[in-house]
Amino acid sequence: MWLLWSSVAVVALLLAVGGYTFRTACKKMAEPDWLDEIALQNTTYEKFTGHIQAAKKWLDSHTVVDVWTESRDGLKLHAHWIPADDPKGTVILAHGYRSTKLLDFGMILELYHNLGVNLLLIDQRCHGHSEGKYITFGVLESRDMQKWVQFHNERFGSHPVILSGLSMGASTVLYLADRALPQNVKGIIADCGFTSPKEIIGKVFRDTVHFGAGPFLWAADLFARVLAGFSLYERDTRKSLQNSRLPVLLIHGKEDDFVPCRMTEEAYAACTSEKELFLVEEAGHAISYLFDTPGYRKRVMDFLRKYMNKDI
């Protein structure tokens, strides 16, 4: 009897911690008002309010069209379309975990636009105006990205396309490296992506409670499968890149203490297609552009010229 009750207690503990881990990591939460500096005070985004406001001001001075598509599982997905005059291609941009396109790409929008590139700035599921109940760490988001590519080609024509993402958005686009995509998709730019849902959730778990996630991850995966329709073990950027047909530019800050730089280095080592690696000294998570703006811009421009359009 003691053994039975001990077993029940262990299972209950696993389910309790696993369920809490899943909800904390994946369940949609209310977003701050990204344009309200007061609302962002005392948050991790406070120091970036100036960049967010500048991005909104830039968008307000350009043609911006609200566009919508539907995910495979029936969610309404939203994006902003910013057309270029005499476009030389399109970059589709996927922002990061619990973030926004204004924050993650505000600093580089002008560069792309001045190069004559259309922009499709998506709201990932559970973010912005896109529907969704659970964040899936790039797994279902990568399928959403496939829908956005299809939408782009049907609505705007088969311009050469580069897929670009930051943080979770980087993993979102890298998970597509081994998938069948239209021929006009020419490459991937991925800044500070993690290798897999399992590894990044496990890393944050260890950082929080100071011991390994172990079986608690298995329990969290059970909740992910049942409630959100994906597995924490389902995708891995290293495996995707082992069979990649697309050129890839991988970027990471060497001092990233949230998504370790080694995750991008491992992805680069696994990649079998044409690849470039740009590691930025002293840069933390998702801020490589701020630490080496000239180097970042040059790498991106060179990549676009080489793989999207030589006339950029």
Side-chain angles (χ1 to χ4, degrees):
M1 184 63 71
W2 177 85
L3 182 60
L4 173 62
W5 283 112
S6 296
S7 300
V8 170
V10 169
V11 171
L13 177 63
L14 285 175
L15 291 176
V17 177
Y20 177 80
T21 300
F22 165 74
R23 289 191 302 273
T24 301
C26 300
K27 190 170 176 57
K28 180 176 182 177
M29 296 181 181
E31 294 184 28
D33 182 346
W34 297 106
L35 299 176
D36 186 342
E37 294 187 33
I38 296 176
L40 295 180
Q41 286 179 359
N42 302 316
T43 73
T44 56
Y45 308 105
E46 181 177 14
K47 60 185 176 181
F48 299 112
T49 54
H51 299 296
I52 296 171
Q53 294 289 343
K56 181 62 167 59
K57 183 177 179 180
W58 187 89
L59 285 176
D60 287 343
S61 66
H62 292 79
T63 300
V64 179
V65 182
D66 288 290
V67 294
W68 302 84
T69 191
E70 186 173 297
S71 70
R72 294 181 186 178
D73 52 344
L75 301 178
K76 275 187 76 176
L77 303 174
H78 172 263
H80 282 138
W81 169 253
I82 301 101
D85 297 328
D86 188 24
K88 299 174 176 61
T90 298
V91 176
I92 305 179
L93 297 132
H95 64 75
Y97 177 80
R98 302 200 194 282
S99 189
T100 170
K101 52 189 179 289
L102 288 177
L103 172 60
D104 288 355
F105 301 114
M107 292 173 285
I108 202 167
L109 296 180
E110 185 173 8
L111 170 66
Y112 283 132
H113 197 265
N114 288 344
L115 293 173
V117 174
N118 300 316
L119 298 172
L120 187 61
L121 288 166
I122 71 170
D123 286 336
Q124 299 258 47
R125 60 171 57 209
C126 297
H127 296 80
H129 297 298
S130 291
E131 295 180 339
K133 188 174 181 181
Y134 296 109
I135 299 169
T136 71
F137 286 81
V139 177
L140 299 186
E141 289 85 353
S142 65
R143 300 173 195 174
D144 297 342
M145 179 62 79
Q146 288 178 294
K147 292 284 291 191
W148 279 119
V149 172
Q150 178 184 345
F151 171 88
H152 168 271
N153 289 354
E154 291 173 355
R155 176 81 175 268
F156 302 116
S158 54
H159 299 290
V161 167
I162 295 291
L163 306 179
S164 179
L166 185 80
S167 191
M168 187 185 79
S171 300
T172 295
V173 295
L174 288 175
Y175 292 155
L176 293 176
D178 62 348
R179 298 296 176 92
L181 292 167
Q183 288 299 309
N184 65 311
V185 178
K186 301 299 183 181
I188 293 172
I189 300 174
D191 186 341
C192 64
F194 48 78
T195 47
S196 68
K198 170 184 72 74
E199 287 205 355
I200 191 60
I201 293 174
K203 186 264 182 188
V204 173
F205 187 100
R206 287 190 303 274
D207 288 350
T208 303
V209 300
H210 307 296
F211 60 84
F216 299 120
L217 269 183
W218 306 334
D221 183 60
L222 175 63
F223 283 92
R225 289 172 181 269
V226 172
L227 297 178
F230 82 107
S231 171
L232 305 184
Y233 300 83
E234 187 172 344
R235 300 296 290 163
D236 189 306
T237 59
R238 293 161 297 196
K239 292 180 180 178
S240 298
L241 289 167
Q242 284 175 354
N243 299 299
S244 174
R245 71 167 183 84
L246 293 171
V248 179
L249 170 59
L250 293 162
I251 302 168
H252 215 115
K254 286 190 173 183
E255 300 303 317
D256 191 337
D257 59 3
F258 183 59
V259 177
C261 186
R262 67 162 180 82
M263 291 190 175
T264 285
E265 293 175 308
E266 290 172 8
Y268 177 80
C271 184
T272 55
S273 61
E274 294 184 65
K275 58 187 179 181
E276 300 175 28
L277 179 65
F278 179 43
L279 302 181
V280 180
E281 300 287 345
E282 300 182 4
H285 185 62
I287 53 175
S288 291
Y289 186 90
L290 293 175
F291 275 77
D292 187 358
T293 302
Y296 198 111
R297 291 168 66 94
K298 183 178 187 306
R299 291 290 186 127
V300 167
M301 287 189 291
D302 289 349
F303 189 84
L304 295 181
R305 289 188 182 112
K306 186 173 183 179
Y307 297 110
M308 174 187 274
N309 191 320
K310 63 181 178 61
D311 295 325
I312 284 178

